[in-house]
Amino acid sequence: MAGAFKEYEDLLSPKQLGEIKEKTEGMNEAKVNKVLKKVYEQYSNSKVEAGESVGIVSAESIGEPGTQMTLNTFHFAGVAEMNVTVGLPRIIEILDGRKEIGTPMMEIFLKKPYSKGEDIKKLALNIKETLLQDLMNSVSVDIAEGKVDIAIDNEKMQEIGMRTDSVISAVEKGMKGISVKKTEEGISVKLKSKDEKLINEVYKLKEKLKSVYIRGIKSIKQVLPVKRGEEYIIITAGSNLIDVLSMEEVDQTRTVTNDIFEIQAVLGIEAARQALIKEVFKVIEDQGLNVDIRHIMLAADTMCFSGKVKGITRYGIVSEKSSVLARASFETPVKHIIEAGLVGEEDKLNSVVENVMLNQPIPVGTGLPGLIVKVKK
Amino acid sequence: MSEVYLNGKFIGEVEEPIVFVENFKSERRKGKIESNANIRYDDKLKIVEIEAGKGRATRPLIVVKDGMPLLTDKILEQLKKGELTWSDLINQGIIEYLDSAEEENAYVSFSEKDLKTDNTHLEISPYTMFGICTSLVPFCQHSPTPRVNMGSKNQKQGLGFYAANYLVRMDMDTSLLHYPQTPVVKTWMHEVYEDDKHPAGQNIVVAIMSYEGYNMEDAIILNKGSIERGFGRSSYYRPSIAEELRYSGGLIDEICIPDKEVKGYKSEKDYRLLEEDGIVYPEAAVNEEDVIIGKTSPPRFLSSFDEYNLAAAARRESSVAIEHGEKGVIDIVLITENEEGNKLVQVRIRDEKIPEIGDKFTSRHGQKGVVGLIVPQADMPFSASGMTPDLIFSPHGIPSRMTISHLIELIGAKVGSLNGRYIDGTTFHSEQEDHLRKELLTMGFRESGVETMYNGQTGEQYTARIYIGNMYYLKLKQMVSNKLHARARGPIQLLTRQPTEGRGKEGGLRLGEMEKDTFVAHGASLLLKERFDSDKTVIPVCEKCGLIAIYDTHKEKAYCPICGDSDISDIEISYAFKLILDEFKSLCVYPSLKLKNKY
């Protein structure tokens, strides 16, 4: 029995072999052999043939449905309205490899006891980044004394379970050159240094105080607890993968962000590739279009194979093409030609674009095979 | 206190803005203030704005006082008798024009029966919301807005009797329909703009059915008998212009039959239609490439007297010829002078266009289609009375587009034609559909509009009853004979050696970037190469420096102007690539070709 599988060890993937093993349980060896042979035959047939121009086929397969995509943004009804970039703009954003994406979002899954949703609201508020302005009721500036009085919203404080003392320490931590006192209504912040330009300084202080970080996870702008199936998850606007993952309550294995560069930084390039595929496929699926996932995989592979996520732009992938003519035919031709001239670059004419330019057979499909025999001159 | 602005400029203040505005309006209605001045009180900004400048869209409304329109039945009687005119109504303040700003302060009632005491104005009629072209779509309240829009756009392209002085006009690219008719189903706009003086279509019998699949995808079937009786016939006119231009040095173009010495002389056959003055004679049948105005121009570069070249530089041929793919008859020849006193010759070509497969026709409901088949009358389906339709329209064009007005017009025109009267299809005021159907019934037809029909080829009765009636159809100015084009070999451009572009220049049909990609996707490498070798060239290349060498035809030898005696090899590339190599050189980039034997 094992002998039959051994023969195919190098030909089929372990996953396939495992599955066959499971399903052929109890068959005799001849039958198993037959199954293996058939599977290998089908597997070989489904492989892409040499000389197939997978790039163009992928580009056409993604590009054609892309023309039908709408430019609408998708509305999210929840605690606060969120607009999410979807459709064509999102695809462009992903494939361009933009560092700053339109709407960074996270889906935070929780570990067992927390995912039941008992304290979900509190947990969500803990994750949300709280700035001093979120807790303010009113601000008044005392020019004579050089201080800023802040009235604190007690309801909000209760909601997130914070005391004025901890706010004071957070403010002290977040800013330098100030002293903070507790008052009846809230806190009072005073500048330590006495300057002639006090008035200006106080007003600057007032503005700065608004954005002082109090607690929560930085750059998580909004949180929205949602029930998905049996468990509760938290959807956030804004993304901070590393800090969220280091929380005790969070299920690190499932929590995701839509910021590919963050995934690359935190989880590495393989995760980034997977995220790219998932994000692009999600957009295409949401639009009700049908594109084979392998086309997207190819695009993701080309973006990631260098070890860093690179966009399909003249600064990213295209700048890495070896052929001068191919680069020049994409964008900014003069720049590429002059730079190639400066260093004396050589174009081996190995790819499609160059050969179309020269009216030579392109090395794809029927143009790929050549003679091995050397002909004497 | 409110600030007052006239045409956006501050001019003063008033104590009681509302009273001021009311006074202004009543003075305007009395005629003491220009009727095109509009006033508005902005109660948020507390300012009064008066606008009397140009460029504002204004619209007329009936003035209402205490819930009663000022336009009374008595006045309407007087209008009918012609005792009053439109401008009288405006002068008397019965009707006034409001701009968008004053409309903000107005409370307009849509119809007379909806009038309330606090209404300030009354809409003249609901159909004033449509423009001229849209008003021409009959029963358009029954169709979706986009279709009505298309219907009104299509009518702008319809051929008709566009101008009564067409005989002496030299319009570019115009057509004249031969037997135009005014529609049986009319709207109020047809009366207003006097459609019967310049109609643009014909009333024909339309059956809604399929016919052998030749009217799939918006195609239509035409009856050959109808075409022979004159349906959709038109004349196409196109003028050609030649001018005797004056150049520096007292040189001048000359309109004449070109000499054989002239540079670029075509052939005697091409000039055969020219008379002594170098212009064709009227009613000459001309074909593509025939010269209609012979002209020669002075040489392009006047070189200083060249002792070796005794013959004076030859003049250039610059005749006007019929464009590729065109034909016709010379309609008129006009010889005049232009503003600069140069001789100007205009020749108008006329061509009779008989409907053929590929011509475009439309009803007035955004239901355009291309002729898919022309059927001999004998083979057309016929009704019990022996009637054959002039046109067969596909039923698949109806459900998804929901052009109900198309269907109602068919019944309406059927009633109108049978009874010899015009049918009113004015939007919101049209004749009732059920009245039309009842009238049809009284004349012995089914009120549904269907009739029993028989197959024209076999004589068998169709199982389905066919919806048949009359409709107004327009021939659109897009005609195949002006567009049909194909090329195998032909002229090329001087710079790139690629085929020229466009039908007039017998151009090639471009295989573009995305089309190229499909060849690549199929891996059809050599087919792609073949498709793109329209500009292939063989050039000698110096193997030492890698630059393009020179081939000396006298010595029958190629040499490199830089390296002198070196190995030269011929390579086959596209001329466009040779050009880009030259451009690289102009950028001071040295494009050295390293040659390698392929095999």
Side-chain angles (χ1 to χ4, degrees):
Chain A
M1 192 67 121
F5 284 101
K6 191 133 203 161
E7 199 183 312
Y8 285 93
E9 216 156 52
D10 298 333
L11 302 174
L12 294 169
S13 72
K15 199 180 162 191
Q16 288 168 324
L17 285 174
E19 209 175 308
I20 297 165
K21 228 176 223 172
E22 217 174 86
K23 291 198 171 157
T24 54
E25 195 87 358
M27 285 186 195
N28 63 36
E29 181 140 3
K31 260 189 177 170
V32 172
N33 245 331
K34 235 178 174 176
V35 169
L36 279 168
K37 200 181 162 199
K38 191 85 194 165
V39 169
Y40 179 65
E41 210 178 286
Q42 295 239 332
Y43 178 67
S44 315
N45 278 343
S46 64
K47 276 187 188 168
V48 171
E49 268 173 56
E52 180 83 49
S53 36
V54 282
I56 292 266
V57 173
S58 283
E60 286 182 345
S61 304
I62 299 172
E64 194 276 331
T67 57
Q68 300 166 30
M69 268 195 255
T70 50
L71 294 165
N72 296 336
T73 51
F74 161 69
H75 295 273
F76 216 108
V79 184
E81 181 88 343
M82 284 200 269
N83 276 323
V84 184
T85 322
V86 289
L88 201 61
R90 175 70 184 144
I91 294 228
I92 292 169
E93 188 176 273
I94 298 168
L95 296 184
D96 277 1
R98 280 204 208 128
K99 295 244 159 66
E100 299 276 322
I101 60 171
T103 45
M105 281 178 73
M106 288 189 79
E107 275 180 19
I108 301 172
F109 286 82
L110 302 168
K111 278 182 190 154
K112 249 293 147 65
Y114 308 102
S115 63
K116 286 201 175 135
E118 271 148 28
D119 282 330
I120 190 87
K121 228 173 181 178
K122 208 175 158 195
L123 191 64
L125 286 170
N126 270 337
I127 291 172
K128 189 186 171 189
E129 180 183 26
T130 309
L131 301 179
L132 191 53
Q133 62 180 352
D134 298 329
L135 303 171
M136 284 177 181
N137 235 352
S138 64
V139 195
S140 55
V141 180
D142 192 331
I143 300 167
E145 297 262 343
K147 65 173 185 181
V148 179
D149 291 321
I150 297 165
I152 284 187
D153 189 335
N154 283 323
E155 262 179 49
K156 269 199 185 140
M157 291 288 279
Q158 238 165 30
E159 201 182 321
I160 63 167
M162 261 189 113
R163 296 239 214 105
T164 319
D165 295 340
S166 43
V167 174
I168 290 171
S169 58
V171 174
E172 275 173 339
K173 212 172 152 192
M175 283 189 83
K176 274 166 198 162
I178 51 156
S179 61
V180 190
K181 256 192 274 173
K182 192 174 175 180
T183 60
E184 256 178 53
E185 285 176 318
I187 57 169
S188 149
V189 184
K190 199 170 175 182
L191 274 171
K192 270 181 184 163
S193 62
K194 292 250 170 180
D195 216 311
E196 291 119 62
K197 291 173 190 165
L198 193 64
I199 299 175
N200 265 338
E201 289 298 314
V202 174
Y203 274 101
K204 267 187 198 162
L205 174 69
K206 179 193 145 196
E207 288 306 313
K208 272 187 193 164
L209 274 173
K210 277 187 186 170
S211 52
V212 166
Y213 165 76
I214 304 292
R215 65 171 219 161
I217 291 173
K218 275 185 187 167
S219 74
I220 303 284
K221 304 256 155 44
Q222 277 176 38
V223 285
L224 181 68
V226 179
K227 194 176 183 186
R228 185 167 293 173
E230 286 296 295
E231 60 179 339
Y232 281 86
I233 64 161
I234 300 166
I235 294 174
T236 68
S239 169
N240 187 341
L241 190 62
I242 192 138
D243 287 353
V244 170
L245 287 187
S246 49
M247 280 176 71
E248 185 206 341
E249 299 93 336
V250 169
D251 183 351
Q252 285 93 345
T253 58
R254 289 185 293 159
T255 297
V256 285
T257 172
N258 67 350
D259 188 332
I260 280 125
F261 280 89
E262 227 184 331
I263 292 182
Q264 185 193 232
V266 177
L267 299 172
I269 189 71
E270 283 297 333
R273 186 194 89 103
Q274 204 56 47
L276 266 171
I277 296 167
K278 216 185 99 189
E279 285 292 321
V280 175
F281 198 64
K282 198 166 79 189
V283 176
I284 289 168
E285 252 187 349
D286 283 349
Q287 299 275 326
L289 305 170
N290 192 19
V291 175
D292 195 292
I293 199 160
R294 282 169 286 186
H295 297 308
I296 301 157
M297 285 162 118
L298 181 72
D301 282 344
T302 25
M303 286 173 74
C304 295
F305 84 104
S306 67
K308 263 184 185 171
V309 175
K310 286 193 169 148
I312 306 175
T313 60
R314 75 184 116 136
Y315 309 106
I317 293 290
V318 180
S319 71
E320 268 162 39
K321 282 194 176 182
S322 59
S323 161
V324 196
L325 293 175
R327 264 180 283 138
S329 75
F330 184 64
E331 272 168 14
T332 55
V334 175
K335 192 186 120 197
H336 286 293
I337 294 302
I338 298 224
E339 275 168 16
L342 283 175
V343 295
E345 232 178 285
E346 199 175 285
D347 196 321
K348 296 273 188 196
L349 306 179
N350 280 335
S351 158
V352 175
V353 197
E354 308 94 277
N355 284 294
V356 170
M357 280 173 137
L358 267 81
N359 190 25
Q360 299 296 318
I362 51 168
V364 138
T366 54
L368 191 62
L371 284 177
I372 290 176
V373 184
K374 286 261 183 245
V375 178
K376 269 189 191 168
K377 244 191 168 177
Chain B
M1 278 298 242
S2 272
E3 290 165 353
V4 181
Y5 293 85
L6 174 64
N7 292 337
K9 277 188 188 145
F10 175 74
I11 50 163
E13 294 186 18
V14 287
E15 291 283 344
E16 303 263 359
I18 294 166
V19 177
F20 173 75
V21 169
E22 283 312 312
N23 286 342
F24 184 97
K25 283 183 188 167
S26 65
E27 293 298 299
R28 182 181 63 197
R29 284 168 196 168
K30 279 178 203 155
K32 287 183 183 165
I33 295 174
E34 271 295 320
S35 63
N36 69 4
N38 286 108
I39 189 164
R40 175 203 181 199
Y41 176 60
D42 187 327
D43 58 356
K44 280 216 178 80
L45 298 171
K46 310 281 181 214
I47 56 168
V48 176
E49 286 179 317
I50 304 169
E51 283 291 336
K54 45 189 168 181
R56 294 166 300 134
T58 61
R59 66 194 197 97
L61 288 168
I62 300 166
V63 178
V64 171
K65 216 169 223 174
D66 307 320
M68 291 298 287
L70 294 186
L71 187 72
T72 55
D73 292 342
K74 200 179 139 199
I75 296 171
L76 283 173
E77 265 321 297
Q78 283 178 300
L79 273 172
K80 255 180 207 160
K81 284 180 200 154
E83 290 163 14
L84 279 176
T85 61
W86 177 258
S87 43
D88 292 327
L89 296 182
I90 291 161
N91 292 337
Q92 291 172 19
I94 294 165
I95 282 175
E96 63 182 4
Y97 282 93
L98 298 195
D99 70 355
S100 55
E102 193 172 333
E103 235 181 323
E104 294 284 311
N105 287 160
Y107 181 27
V108 184
S109 173
F110 193 60
S111 68
E112 202 167 348
K113 66 172 194 282
D114 298 331
L115 266 179
K116 296 192 195 88
T117 44
D118 50 350
N119 276 124
T120 58
H121 293 88
L122 171 64
E123 208 73 61
I124 293 172
S125 170
Y127 54 67
T128 53
M129 76 170 90
F130 298 113
I132 292 174
C133 286
T134 311
S135 304
L136 292 175
V137 179
F139 299 106
C140 87
Q141 72 270 33
H142 294 284
S143 278
T145 342
R147 286 287 145 192
V148 178
N149 249 316
M150 289 180 200
S152 66
K153 272 181 200 158
N154 287 163
Q155 289 193 68
K156 294 176 191 175
Q157 300 186 11
L159 302 184
F161 189 67
Y162 74 102
N165 63 343
Y166 71 93
L167 278 174
V168 292
R169 290 174 72 106
M170 282 290 184
D171 301 298
M172 199 65 207
D173 205 30
T174 52
S175 286
L176 197 81
L177 190 68
H178 282 191
Y179 305 101
Q181 297 171 347
T182 192
V184 173
V185 177
K186 286 190 167 187
T187 71
W188 143 90
M189 187 52 83
H190 284 94
E191 305 294 335
V192 172
Y193 95 142
E194 299 182 328
D195 181 77
D196 50 347
K197 290 192 180 157
H198 47 85
Q202 288 162 321
N203 295 295
I204 55 166
V205 178
V206 175
I208 299 185
M209 62 184 290
S210 67
Y211 187 91
E212 305 279 325
Y214 281 95
N215 55 355
M216 292 195 294
E217 294 287 331
D218 277 341
I220 51 168
I221 311 277
L222 285 189
N223 185 335
K224 194 157 187 243
S226 315
I227 294 169
E228 280 158 1
R229 273 173 243 122
F231 170 67
R233 250 167 224 249
S234 60
S235 286
Y236 176 72
Y237 295 95
R238 182 204 284 279
S240 294
I241 302 164
E243 187 186 345
E244 282 192 348
L245 280 174
R246 283 168 204 279
Y247 301 90
S248 55
L251 293 164
I252 189 169
D253 284 342
E254 195 190 348
I255 292 177
C256 61
I257 302 174
D259 255 5
K260 277 187 180 153
E261 282 87 65
V262 163
K263 213 172 150 192
Y265 185 83
K266 293 180 175 174
S267 76
E268 240 164 88
K269 186 183 151 254
D270 290 329
Y271 301 107
R272 72 186 188 282
L273 297 165
L274 302 186
E275 291 191 311
E276 273 162 36
D277 58 356
I279 309 167
V280 265
Y281 55 92
E283 298 303 322
V286 288
N287 258 311
E288 58 183 18
E289 251 98 277
D290 282 344
V291 173
I292 47 172
I293 306 168
K295 197 173 84 171
T296 59
S297 300
R300 201 161 285 163
F301 305 106
L302 267 185
S303 50
S304 56
F305 183 70
D306 194 340
E307 52 184 304
Y308 300 106
N309 194 0
L310 291 172
R315 290 174 70 85
R316 281 181 299 125
E317 141 83 7
S318 58
S319 301
V320 179
I322 304 283
E323 279 200 1
H324 180 77
E326 297 225 357
K327 61 167 181 61
V329 175
I330 304 300
D331 200 45
I332 54 169
V333 174
L334 183 83
I335 303 168
T336 48
E337 262 181 11
N338 67 3
E339 305 90 357
E340 285 129 41
N342 297 340
K343 186 179 180 187
L344 184 78
V345 177
Q346 285 188 296
V347 175
R348 192 173 69 191
I349 299 136
R350 148 172 53 84
D351 190 17
E352 188 180 27
K353 303 273 185 191
I354 298 165
E356 57 180 318
I357 290 175
D359 282 357
K360 202 168 163 188
F361 287 82
T362 183
S363 73
R364 290 175 287 175
H365 312 275
Q367 286 283 18
K368 57 176 183 281
V370 159
V371 178
L373 185 69
I374 294 170
V375 180
Q377 181 158 13
D379 290 342
M380 282 300 265
F382 56 91
S383 71
S385 59
M387 167 90 89
T388 53
D390 300 307
L391 186 148
I392 299 176
F393 178 84
S394 167
H396 298 286
I398 304 284
S400 58
R401 305 200 229 274
M402 298 181 284
T403 50
I404 304 306
S405 56
H406 186 94
L407 303 177
I408 299 177
E409 191 201 323
L410 190 136
I411 288 202
K414 195 173 183 178
V415 171
S417 312
L418 290 164
N419 258 356
R421 68 180 178 93
Y422 290 119
I423 305 293
D424 185 11
T426 308
T427 318
F428 302 120
H429 284 255
S430 52
E431 288 189 32
Q432 291 294 309
E433 185 197 337
D434 47 348
H435 291 180
L436 291 172
R437 287 185 188 278
K438 267 177 201 140
E439 208 176 325
L440 198 59
L441 192 65
T442 58
M443 286 177 294
F445 286 85
R446 278 197 189 81
E447 60 179 339
S448 58
V450 296
E451 282 179 39
T452 305
M453 301 270 286
Y454 301 87
N455 187 322
Q457 286 159 320
T458 64
E460 285 168 336
Q461 184 184 320
Y462 287 117
T463 347
R465 307 245 188 282
I466 305 300
Y467 194 61
I468 184 171
N470 294 55
M471 283 198 83
Y472 191 61
Y473 255 80
L474 298 93
K475 186 186 190 185
L476 298 181
K477 66 178 179 192
Q478 274 92 296
M479 284 167 283
V480 258
S481 55
N482 289 331
K483 301 197 165 171
L484 196 73
H485 174 54
R487 153 177 173 148
R489 273 160 289 142
I492 53 163
Q493 276 164 13
L494 194 66
L495 179 70
T496 61
R497 299 204 186 164
Q498 285 167 6
T500 50
E501 202 183 319
R503 187 176 105 108
K505 284 174 271 176
E506 210 194 334
L509 299 160
R510 187 182 168 80
L511 185 97
E513 179 114 18
M514 292 174 95
E515 290 78 14
K516 175 212 81 184
D517 287 349
T518 63
F519 281 73
V520 178
H522 278 91
S525 175
L526 296 157
L527 178 62
L528 176 69
K529 176 181 181 291
E530 198 170 294
R531 205 22 264 243
F532 274 154
D533 67 7
S534 60
D535 64 339
K536 78 169 171 199
T537 36
V538 175
I539 53 166
V541 173
C542 167
E543 297 216 33
K544 197 172 162 200
C545 64
L547 290 178
I548 297 166
I550 293 169
Y551 183 74
D552 190 330
T553 33
H554 284 292
K555 293 180 191 160
E556 294 188 352
K557 195 181 171 244
Y559 68 97
C560 174
I562 300 169
C563 310
D565 206 28
S566 57
D567 282 343
I568 309 283
S569 297
D570 283 344
I571 59 165
E572 187 194 284
I573 52 163
S574 60
Y575 191 78
F577 187 68
K578 186 241 149 197
L579 268 185
I580 206 171
L581 290 181
D582 292 344
E583 285 203 30
F584 289 167
K585 287 178 215 160
S586 74
L587 284 171
C588 297
V589 171
Y590 170 28
S592 173
L593 300 174
K594 289 183 183 165
L595 303 186
K596 195 176 81 183
N597 201 327
K598 235 182 187 175
Y599 306 107

